[in-house]
């Protein structure tokens, strides 16, 4: 996570959390969003306190249509509401659809996601000099978060921090 200043996760993504997170992500089980956001806000309290803007990792519009919601945006909005922070759910756009990355390794993920994100043109002024808190559901290799952070930094953000619901912990 070379370009991300600080990163925090509320949970480890493991056998105990996997089903809970996958139901939230893919099965319309949004009732846990406020609880998840509370866990995230506690785990990343310094990041939330320092954030000028909270922004979710975006979904491509086709995936958004099929899933009906962006789980990262649900979390970002819940954190922002509870903490009184500005949320910009449309700060970043995913300009091209990318295949799901669940089966890909670190380098394949980086190649898959390269050039996929852009800063929404009407938001450029809002991020100049701002500390952005990027929110996502699961951190695996960091390829997606780094691509988003590079886009934000190139657009004028002062710094990008990352807050995720869960982080995959490698045991080998």
């Amino acid at each position: 996570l070379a370009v991300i200043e600080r990163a925090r996760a509320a949970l480890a993504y493991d056998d105990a959390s996997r089903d809970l997170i996958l139901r939230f992500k893919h099965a319309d089980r949004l009732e846990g969003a406020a609880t998840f956001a509370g866990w995230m806000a506690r785990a990343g309290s310094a990041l939330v306190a320092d954030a000028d803007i909270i922004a979710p990792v975006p979904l491509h519009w086709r995936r958004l249509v099929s899933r009906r919601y962006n789980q990262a945006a649900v979390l970002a909005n819940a954190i922002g509401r509870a903490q009184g922070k500005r949320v910009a759910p449309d700060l970043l756009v995913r300009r091209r659809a990318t295949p799901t990355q669940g089966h890909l390794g670190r380098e394949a993920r980086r190649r898959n996601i390269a050039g996929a994100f852009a800063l929404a043109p009407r938001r450029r002024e809002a991020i100049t000099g701002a500390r952005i808190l990027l929110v996502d559901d699961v951190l695996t290799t960091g390829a997606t978060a780094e691509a988003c952070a590079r886009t934000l930094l190139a657009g004028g953000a002062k710094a990008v921090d990352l807050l995720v619901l869960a982080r995959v912990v490698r045991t080998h």
Side-chain angles (χ1 to χ4, degrees):
L1 299 173
V3 297
I4 294 173
E5 200 159 301
R6 301 174 295 177
R8 298 287 181 275
L11 303 169
Y13 186 82
D14 56 18
D15 291 340
S17 65
R18 183 176 296 108
D19 287 343
L20 185 66
I21 293 166
L22 290 177
R23 282 193 305 267
F24 170 66
K25 186 171 182 167
H26 297 291
D28 293 338
R29 299 298 302 266
L30 299 176
E31 64 273 4
T35 300
F36 297 157
W39 293 345
M40 292 170 73
R42 278 191 297 284
S45 60
L47 280 61
V48 174
D50 292 346
D52 296 311
I53 301 170
I54 298 173
V57 170
L59 292 177
H60 186 267
W61 69 267
R62 284 192 297 248
R63 187 159 296 151
L64 182 59
V65 167
S66 71
R67 198 175 282 170
R68 295 190 306 269
Y69 61 95
N70 175 351
Q71 68 281 359
V74 170
L75 294 169
N77 283 321
I79 293 166
R81 236 184 347 269
Q83 303 297 314
K85 289 289 185 168
R86 179 176 168 205
V87 179
D90 60 346
L91 188 62
L92 289 169
V93 294
R94 191 172 281 216
R95 57 182 175 195
R96 68 177 176 80
T98 53
T100 53
Q101 303 200 118
H103 63 286
L104 301 176
R106 182 177 301 276
E107 282 310 310
R109 284 173 184 250
R110 280 199 178 101
R111 285 190 306 273
N112 184 47
I113 209 77
F117 299 102
L119 181 62
R122 61 190 179 84
R123 294 289 191 182
R124 188 169 301 275
E125 255 183 58
I127 72 160
T128 301
R131 178 175 285 278
I132 309 298
L133 179 58
L134 186 64
V135 171
D136 205 0
D137 56 354
V138 178
L139 174 66
T140 305
T141 66
T144 300
E146 283 198 1
C148 288
R150 287 183 195 285
T151 301
L152 291 165
L153 292 167
K158 173 174 68 178
V160 178
D161 295 320
L162 174 66
L163 183 57
V164 296
L165 175 57
R167 183 175 192 155
V168 173
V169 179
R170 303 269 184 236
T171 56
H172 1 268

